[in-house]
Structures are given as structure tokens and as C-alpha cells.
Amino acid sequence: VDDTILKMTKIRALRAPWCTALSKSVGILSSRSPDLICLKLAGCKLINDAAVISIAKSCPQLEILDVSQCNVTNASLLEVCKLPDRFNNIIYLGLNKCQQISNDSLLRISQKCTKLQTLKLGGLYKIGTEGLASIAHHCP
């Protein structure tokens, strides 16, 4: 799968949920496809913080990102939210069952992703009222 993905250039959307073979090629793909607007990788266990940071740095137009049930933590989301002109266009963010996500990330996401329309947070046990209130305030 990695070899096939590396041949793709200039794509605008990739939907590959539950693809257990995806790894570092996603970062390479995103660097070759700066116009990428949709990336759905739910359940891709090899997608981690490094991949999310690489995607964010390479894809300024990204609107849809689903990394539900991937190995994503606060570390990548906090880092991405520090990047200027990145994640400003996010309207859909899927984080279901990313167990390490907490209020810290939600606070930053709410301030950075002001166009956010859909936020998936199922199965997250480290979030609470503070993070949800911040989302409600900044992303009406």
C-alpha cells in the first residue's frame, strides 16, 4: 500500500480507514499534495503524532481530518496548533477513541479551528466541561 500511495501526487482527498499498512507514506504523500483537503485515516494504527504534524505542516488547505482510533496524543495536536496558518480551515476533526486526548488539546483546537463544524470525541475519558465549553464558545 505504501508504494501505491507514494505514486499519488496532487490528490485532494484520501479516504483509507482501517488500512493497517499505512505508515510514513502518509507524511510523504501530504508533502507531495499540498492541496489535500480531506484525509480520513480512522483506525490506521500506524498513524501517530509524527504523521499528524507532517500532514499539518504540508497541507495548509486541509479541511477534513479523521484520525479516530489512531495513535494520536495531545503532543501532536498542541504542536499543530502552534503552527501559523495551519488547521485554520478545519471543519471536521475526528478524534474518537484517541485515548490520550485531553482538555489541553480541546482548548487549543477551539482557539485555532474556528471554522470547525464537526468534532468527533467518542470514547475520550480525559476531556471534561472545560474543554467542551471552550469548543462551544469559540466554534459556535
Side-chain angles (χ1 to χ4, degrees), residues 72-130:
V72 175
T73 70
N74 278 341
S76 61
L77 295 177
L78 295 175
E79 182 66 27
V80 164
C81 286
K82 292 179 190 175
L83 298 171
D85 301 324
R86 295 299 186 264
F87 266 40
N88 297 341
N89 295 315
I90 292 287
I91 58 171
Y92 178 103
L93 183 60
L95 299 171
N96 289 325
K97 295 189 178 180
C98 292
Q99 302 294 336
Q100 300 304 312
I101 302 300
S102 70
N103 280 334
D104 294 339
S105 287
L106 292 187
L107 293 171
R108 293 282 176 90
I109 288 167
S110 69
Q111 296 165 358
K112 184 73 170 187
C113 305
T114 56
K115 295 179 183 177
L116 192 64
Q117 297 173 11
T118 303
L119 178 62
K120 300 286 189 167
L121 300 171
L124 301 184
Y125 303 106
K126 294 183 178 183
I127 61 169
T129 306
E130 182 183 10

Side-chain angles (χ1 to χ4, degrees), residues 14-22 26 38-48 52 55 64-72 92-98 120:
L14 175 64
R15 293 171 182 89
W18 303 103
C19 185
T20 57
L22 282 179
V26 171
C38 174
L39 196 52
K40 291 193 170 192
L41 303 171
C44 297
K45 297 294 183 189
L46 297 176
I47 299 301
N48 58 19
V52 170
I55 291 163
I64 298 168
L65 179 63
D66 191 352
V67 290
S68 297
Q69 297 188 30
C70 294
N71 291 312
V72 175
Y92 178 103
L93 183 60
L95 299 171
N96 289 325
K97 295 189 178 180
C98 292
K120 300 286 189 167

